[in-house]
Each structure stands twice: as C-alpha cells, then as structure tokens.
Amino acid sequence: MKKPISRILIINDEKLILKEFIKGLNAAAKSMENPFGISFIGVTTAHEALQSIEEDGDIQAVVVDDRLYTLKSEGKRSHDLQMSALSLVQKITRFRPELNIYILIAQEQADEVVDALFSETVDGYFYREERDYRGIYRILNAQLQDKARTPFYDQLKHYVLMAKDSWHTPGHSSGDSLRDSPWVNDFYEFFGEHVFRADLSVSVPMLDSLMEPTGVIAEAQKIAAKAFGARRTFFATNGTSTANKVIFQTLLAPGEKLLLDRNCHKSVHHGVVLSGAHPVYLDSSVNKKFSVYGPVPKQTLLNAIKEHPDAKALILTNCTYDGLRYDLAPIIQAAHASGIKVIIDEAWYGFARFHPAFRPTAMEAGADYATQSTHKVLSAFSQSSMIHVNDADFNEHLFRENFNMHTSTSPQYSMIASLDIARKQIMLEGYKLLARTLELTTELRMQINSTGVFQVLELADLLPDEVKHDNIQLDPTKVTVDISRCGFTVEELIQELFERYNIQVEKSTFNTLTLLLTIGTTRSKVSRLYDALMRISREGRAPRRLYMTPEIPRFTELKYLPRDAFYCGGELMPLLDEQDKINTSLDGRVCADQITPYPPGIPVLVPGQTITQEVISYLVGMLRSQKHVEAHGIVHDGYLPCLRLLTVAEEKNLKKLVI
Ligand SMILES: Cc1ncc(COP(=O)(O)O)c(C=O)c1O
C-alpha cells in the first residue's frame, strides 16, 4: 500500500534559525511515530513561500514566523510586522484554504499582534524560544490526523472486522445467502465479500443513524462542513436530485415564489411540484451554433430580483453541465438585499474549493445552500451527495423533517463511507490531484486541436451573446468538442469511439461531444482518446450535414401552480390529428405534465403552463426528426403521441396565478 507524504513549510527569514528549526523538527519526525510521512522544509521569503504552496501539493501545513518582515520595515516596526504577517497568512488561506496555519512567535509581543493574527483563521501558535520541536511535531501530526479521520468509514470497517452474527436486515445476511448458492454465488464473487459484510442496517446502533445523526455520521458531517467551508453539511444518499427537493420543501411553503433558471435540472422542477412553490422561470442564454444552454443573463436575474422582492428563494446551476460559471457574488448580494435565500446547484462542482482555479464556490460567494453530487466529480459511490448550509436562519427541525421524508430508512452504508473518504481525499490531496487534472485538461485540449478536424470550444466559442459581459468563466475540466468537420454524425461518432476504441463520452449535442475530466482521469486515458480522435481524423471523411436541434420555444404563460396542475387527473390529447397533421386544437390548453426533450434536458412545458402553436410545432418537429430525442412526459396512446392536459372542468376549479 502506498504511504502518504506530507510536507510542512516553515517560513522564517533568519537563515540560521530556520536551519535549526528544520533540523530539530525533522529529527522529531524521525524519532516519533510518523504515519503520514511528515517532513519539514523551509523558505526565507514570502515570495518563496507562496511559490512553494503553489507548486508543492504535498504541503499540508504552514508555520509562519511572525518576524518575517521585520528586517524590511523601518520606523513603526510592530505595525509593519503585524500587517506583513497578516497579509501573508491571508494570501495563503485564500490560495489553499485547506492548509493549517500556525504562527511562530519570536518573543513576547504586544497583544494586538497576536490578536490580529488570531482574527485570521490560524490554527495555533508556538513560542519560538521554547524550541519544543517534539511538542510542535506532536501538534502538527495530531492536526493532520484529525483531517485524515474518517469516523464513519472507520467505524464501519471496525464493525465488519468484529464479525458479529447478523440477525437483522438485509436479508442476504452478510452475503451468507449468496455465498454457497450454485445459482447466484457469482454475484457474491463479482462484488466481493466486503460489499456484503458492509451492507448493514439501522439495527447496528454503533453506526449511527442518517435520520438522526449523533455519532459517527454527525462527526463525519462536521468534518465535511469544515472542509467545504460551510456552517453545516449533510450527507444525502439519494443524489442531488433529492437534495434539491429537500431544500425546496424546507424553504418554500405552497404558493411562495421561487426564482429559477428554466434550464435547471429536472429535480428542481419536480421540487416545484412537491413544494407547491410558485415558480418564476427565467430563460437561460443560448448559444445557437452549438445548442449550448448557458447561464441566465445577469441583468435578467437582477431584474427578476427587483420585480419579485416577495420571492423566498433563487436557485441557479453553477457550473452548468458545459462548465459555464456565474459571477455569483453580485447576484447573491442582490438577492440577499431583498431577503431572498440563494440555493446553488453545484452538482458538477463539488471539487471546486480545493484549487484556486475553480473558486469561488457557492459557499465562498455567500450562498445559503449548495447541493453537490460528490459522486459525479469526486471518489464517492453513485447517488452520494452533500448538502452544505450557510443560512443564518437555517431551520434545522424543518430541514430534518423534509430530509427524512425523502430518505430511505435503509440507506446504503457504503455510500456514506464513500462520502467520508471523498472528503478526506479532496481535503488532503485535492490540490495536487486537481493541479494534475488541470494539466491533463490543457494537454488534451491541445491534442484534440492538433487533429485539425476536432476542435475544443473555448469560453469565447461557448458563451452565448446575452452573457458576453457577465464575467462568466469556464471550468476547463468540462471539454466540449466541435465535431462538425469529422464526417460522422454525433451518434456515429459516439458509437465508433465506444465500439472501436472502448471510449464512453459524457454527453453530446448535434455537433458537439462533452468529455468530463476528473481527479480519476489518467494520462493513459488522455493518450487513448487522442489516438482515437487522431485516427478518426486521418480517415479524412467529408463533413456531413448535421441535423441542428431547434431552439426551445420561449417560456409561455404559467396559468396555474405546477402542483395544482400536476395533481389534476387531466385528459390525454394527441399532438397529431387523424391526417397526421399538427393538432391545432391544443393551442391555449394547459399542460398537466413536465415535457422535457433530452437532449438538451430543458422542459418545454411544465405543469400549469399554457400551450401555444409554437410549442406544439416544436414538439411535433422533434418527434418527426431523424435524430433520436427522448421525449420525457409524452404519453403514447397506441401509436399516437399525446399530452396530458387539464380538462375544462378542472381549469374552472383552479385558481389562476397572478404574477
Ligand atoms: C445540474 C444538476 N443538478 C442535479 C442533478 C442530479 O444529481 P444526482 O444525479 O446526484 O441526483 C444533476 C444530474 O445530472 C444535474 O445535472
């Protein structure tokens, strides 16, 4: 098993003292227990210090000498000293917030120096003159040990190794029902013994309860909150799909207003139905050339906040599936000024806190809630997500009631353990792994462009015109590739990559492929992808005409609350008449379901929304197109594609929405 390496950086401008400290501390590390491979390195200037923490991903903590700048200052020495040490600490924590910072105090000083340093997020201090190398090492090692703790995973492992007899659920009873079966023992062998032994239930009290955590789950969540810069963190085992719904039901009573990007994930739209919220849909920007739906323009958001000061919450997706990132802080500030809570769906951005290239995160930008699919971009099992909370008015009781309403009473414990591990990994080696991912991203982008046929779309190519001046940024780990010159349709290309080159991509539009790089991307995978694209390029096929996905019609009137419309029985009405012509009689009727073509996954209709001629034509065009598009929400009555619509009688009983 690979052993960790950890370096601790000592910053001291007095060379002799630095040398003495490094020697003393390394001797202590050698002579004492050292499970994390701690060693000490030193630099004498702030410049070198910042360079080291940027380049060396194995640095886990920093010890800053408070006399660092004394030699450079003249006149009011203590003031300069205080400010200099402070600004260095601030720079370090801004760059890598996961690092622990300690101050080495040279001598007894005015209280204000220590006070000022302590108002920053420093973890402690040592008096230099004590020369207590073993004591310093012990504390630094203990601090690292604390970060490396995985309370839930440790307890789960411990329980499995205790080998207790199971007289409880699950029925496979630690895999014993499968192990000796001539019929299904291969399932046991395939997944392996520990999958079954660790598949336990709430009957085991020492594993705590996800429904009411007070033990190891509570502890694991507390460490996660600190790591992700939140006041509170909750583990969710039903994905961000459920996390979004839990937050909606906590913040929004029926009829209360929610501002939302129409392009939000479908779980957000389902959350609107479940909570009974009154949604105010905001149209996202769109890049027509590549069918990429981007952020909601900043001005649209600011206007909506102004027009709906009675709104209770705003939800946005950051970053989008294609990697477009909002300039969140001013939007959040505007929402807060109107008393609107901000929820950021960070399903695709759970790693962002651990490398400055991706920050600020939603929490750092001031959001009240962030939901993250830890499983999408970090080392957690599928469906394992986190909810981070920063809301000063957080109603924990209500949150808990809603959380428990959605959570299975039999959560999968390996998922909880994987959240504990994913947090540990990203906290301890996230910076290093993300730096490598960024490096691979740059390499891959260059290699793809060098094929001369495939081209990576950069921010300027992806940005819709409406948001050109909104300070939008691109998460480079989402790589969107223009395939229009390769001579394959997108479906053919995906198949070719899969069948011939064993490559499965993330998603596509009619003329793009999107590749997702994560901390699990390796140089070998990058090489194989490059090789495949190069070979395909060399085939020299003539470019094909590609079917362009029509733009989704703009949002029409929302006549009734989505929840009210959804719970009507409704009636099925065909989109086409007997002559296979567009059924124009649907114009003006109200839909009871959410109709979402995938791709792009944006609802064309939501429950309660009025149907127009344009919407019907769009849906029919989609159904008739040669390109396969999943049409979620369309019902087939025999061969006829139908929509579930409100009946005239049902409409009479519903209250019309006033915007
Ligand atoms: C923006 C967004 N939010 C939420 C989700 C749902 O996440 P999960 O798969 O964890 O339920 C997705 C899934 O694709 C998503 O794209």
Side-chain angles (χ1 to χ4, degrees):
M1 207 174 86
K2 272 193 180 171
K3 284 209 149 197
I5 291 173
S6 315
R7 276 186 281 279
I8 292 175
L9 182 69
I10 313 287
I11 312 167
N12 191 312
D13 69 338
E14 293 174 70
K15 277 201 173 110
L16 282 179
I17 293 183
L18 180 66
K19 209 169 156 196
E20 187 191 325
F21 258 79
I22 300 284
K23 198 170 160 209
L25 288 167
N26 275 329
K30 263 205 185 116
S31 65
M32 296 168 76
E33 230 175 86
N34 190 352
F36 306 115
I38 291 179
S39 65
F40 293 83
I41 54 171
V43 292
T44 54
T45 67
H47 174 72
E48 286 172 292
L50 293 170
Q51 198 174 359
S52 297
I53 64 162
E54 187 179 343
E55 288 170 4
D56 187 347
D58 288 324
I59 290 178
Q60 297 289 357
V62 179
V63 181
V64 185
D65 193 306
D66 71 348
R67 285 168 52 120
L68 191 60
Y69 300 109
T70 50
L71 293 179
K72 287 185 195 142
S73 66
E74 284 162 21
K76 291 188 230 148
R77 286 170 65 106
S78 86
H79 185 68
D80 285 346
L81 168 100
Q82 178 190 350
M83 292 314 292
S84 300
L86 264 178
S87 67
L88 179 58
V89 167
Q90 281 165 347
K91 272 204 165 115
I92 292 171
T93 45
R94 226 174 283 139
F95 195 79
R96 287 180 58 184
E98 81 282 9
L99 292 181
N100 291 116
I101 312 262
Y102 288 85
I103 306 296
L104 200 59
I105 296 175
Q107 57 208 342
E108 293 284 339
Q109 297 186 22
D111 279 349
E112 61 183 284
V113 178
V114 177
D115 285 354
L117 284 165
F118 267 84
S119 66
E120 290 304 307
T121 46
V122 298
D123 296 275
Y125 64 96
F126 309 109
Y127 275 97
R128 191 164 93 180
E129 292 318 313
E130 290 173 0
R131 299 286 197 276
D132 182 11
Y133 302 124
R134 290 175 72 84
I136 294 176
Y137 170 77
R138 198 174 291 120
I139 288 175
L140 293 170
N141 183 45
Q143 181 89 39
L144 199 49
Q145 185 128 30
D146 201 49
K147 279 168 45 175
R149 266 177 347 117
T150 43
F152 182 80
Y153 168 59
D154 293 348
Q155 189 83 325
L156 183 64
K157 205 162 66 170
H158 176 58
Y159 185 82
V160 168
L161 296 179
M162 286 198 302
K164 303 285 183 197
D165 276 352
S166 163
W167 287 87
H168 54 77
T169 58
H172 60 68
S173 202
S174 307
D176 292 345
S177 70
L178 301 156
R179 197 186 51 241
D180 297 324
S181 161
W183 297 98
V184 288
N185 133 288
D186 67 316
F187 183 68
Y188 181 85
E189 296 297 333
F190 177 76
F191 279 104
E193 177 186 350
H194 282 138
V195 165
F196 298 98
R197 295 214 168 275
D199 187 20
L200 293 155
S201 79
V202 282
S203 312
V204 183
M206 66 184 268
L207 293 178
D208 205 3
S209 157
L210 190 63
M211 304 267 156
E212 202 178 284
T214 52
V216 281
I217 295 179
E219 237 186 296
Q221 292 182 154
K222 206 166 158 190
I223 305 175
K226 193 162 177 220
F228 286 89
R231 284 180 198 218
R232 303 289 302 275
T233 288
F234 298 88
F235 292 171
T237 53
N238 303 64
T240 298
S241 302
T242 294
N244 286 338
K245 292 171 200 156
V246 170
I247 295 175
F248 278 19
Q249 290 195 184
T250 304
L251 289 182
L252 296 152
E256 287 185 338
K257 267 190 197 167
L258 167 73
L259 308 178
L260 72 159
D261 176 356
R262 183 186 170 199
N263 187 14
C264 276
H265 184 252
K266 62 185 189 175
S267 60
V268 168
H269 299 282
H270 292 149
V272 167
V273 170
L274 289 176
S275 64
H278 173 170
V280 177
Y281 295 101
L282 309 171
D283 274 317
S284 24
S285 54
V286 54
N287 178 330
K288 292 179 191 156
K289 188 170 170 200
F290 296 108
S291 278
V292 168
Y293 286 80
V296 178
K298 191 190 256 174
Q299 203 50 54
T300 307
L301 281 163
L302 298 179
N303 291 347
I305 289 168
K306 216 171 183 178
E307 280 166 30
H308 302 278
D310 54 335
K312 288 283 182 261
L314 160 71
I315 180 162
L316 296 173
T317 309
N318 200 58
C319 61
T320 64
Y321 204 176
D322 304 283
L324 294 174
R325 289 169 52 196
Y326 284 91
D327 178 12
L328 279 181
I331 299 164
I332 294 175
Q333 273 161 21
H336 282 173
S338 287
I340 300 172
K341 299 288 180 199
V342 181
I343 309 156
I344 302 295
D345 181 335
E346 281 187 323
W348 295 98
Y349 217 42
F351 56 86
R353 181 161 166 85
F354 300 92
H355 196 289
F358 304 106
R359 296 216 307 275
T361 63
M363 289 286 103
E364 290 166 350
D368 300 285
Y369 297 86
T371 50
Q372 295 178 341
S373 296
T374 318
H375 66 95
K376 284 195 197 298
V377 287
L378 295 174
S379 306
F381 286 133
S382 283
Q383 288 191 34
S384 313
S385 286
M386 291 193 199
I387 302 173
H388 302 301
V389 181
N390 227 352
D391 183 0
D393 308 313
F394 180 51
N395 184 335
E396 188 172 354
H397 169 70
L398 206 53
F399 174 86
R400 176 59 57 200
E401 289 299 299
N402 286 302
F403 185 93
N404 290 353
M405 199 184 290
H406 285 278
T407 300
S408 164
T409 44
S410 312
Q412 177 56 259
Y413 283 12
S414 54
M415 285 164 61
I416 304 175
S418 77
L419 284 169
D420 218 4
I421 288 293
R423 185 273 310 153
K424 171 180 173 178
Q425 180 181 37
I426 201 69
M427 201 178 185
L428 290 168
E429 57 175 351
Y431 178 79
K432 184 175 165 178
L433 295 178
L434 289 167
R436 190 194 62 170
T437 309
L438 279 167
E439 229 176 85
L440 292 178
T441 302
T442 309
E443 273 174 35
L444 180 66
R445 283 167 180 268
M446 273 165 42
Q447 289 176 345
I448 292 175
N449 290 341
S450 77
T451 61
V453 168
F454 295 101
Q455 197 187 350
V456 176
L457 300 179
E458 298 299 339
L459 179 62
D461 308 309
L462 286 167
L463 259 193
D465 286 341
E466 309 95 286
V467 291
K468 281 239 149 75
H469 304 293
D470 286 359
N471 201 17
I472 304 292
Q473 305 210 31
L474 178 66
D475 166 5
T477 64
K478 278 96 182 163
V479 177
T480 305
V481 184
D482 178 357
I483 63 134
S484 55
R485 283 185 289 149
C486 75
F488 286 76
T489 65
V490 79
E491 288 86 0
E492 288 166 351
L493 181 62
I494 289 173
Q495 196 176 356
E496 180 80 351
L497 286 170
F498 184 77
E499 303 275 342
R500 203 155 141 209
Y501 298 102
N502 295 324
I503 288 167
Q504 176 64 57
V505 301
E506 175 65 32
K507 73 156 186 132
S508 63
T509 69
F510 75 100
N511 61 355
T512 67
L513 281 186
T514 299
L515 310 158
L516 181 68
L517 284 90
T518 71
I519 55 170
T521 302
T522 61
R523 188 154 267 124
S524 301
K525 287 184 204 166
V526 169
S527 307
R528 289 196 288 267
L529 177 63
Y530 169 55
D531 177 65
L533 293 179
M534 192 50 121
R535 281 168 195 258
I536 292 170
S537 304
R538 285 195 186 135
E539 286 181 24
R541 293 190 180 202
R544 302 261 300 268
R545 267 173 202 254
L546 298 175
Y547 171 80
M548 185 164 173
T549 322
E551 200 182 327
I552 289 196
R554 292 195 85 73
F555 197 80
T556 58
E557 181 204 10
L558 187 70
K559 203 164 173 190
Y560 307 108
L561 269 189
R563 185 177 69 170
D564 292 348
F566 180 77
Y567 287 115
C568 285
E571 60 179 337
L572 289 187
M573 294 296 287
L575 275 161
L576 299 164
D577 64 18
E578 291 81 26
Q579 278 84 45
D580 214 29
K581 294 221 175 77
I582 289 178
N583 182 356
T584 48
S585 74
L586 304 189
D587 191 0
R589 299 284 303 269
V590 175
C591 196
D593 285 318
Q594 180 176 306
I595 311 297
T596 310
Y598 188 88
I602 299 171
V604 177
L605 288 167
V606 296
Q609 187 183 339
T610 310
I611 296 168
T612 58
Q613 196 62 43
E614 191 194 2
V615 169
I616 312 166
S617 304
Y618 175 85
L619 291 174
V620 170
M622 179 187 79
L623 292 170
R624 283 180 175 158
S625 100
Q626 295 299 308
K627 187 176 186 306
H628 175 70
V629 178
E630 287 175 35
H632 305 166
I634 289 185
V635 199
H636 278 85
D637 186 3
Y639 294 112
L640 269 186
C642 299
L643 299 180
R644 188 169 68 97
L645 306 182
L646 302 193
T647 63
V648 176
E650 284 166 341
E651 283 205 52
K652 270 196 188 133
N653 284 330
L654 291 183
K655 209 170 123 204
K656 269 181 88 171
L657 269 184
V658 184
I659 299 286

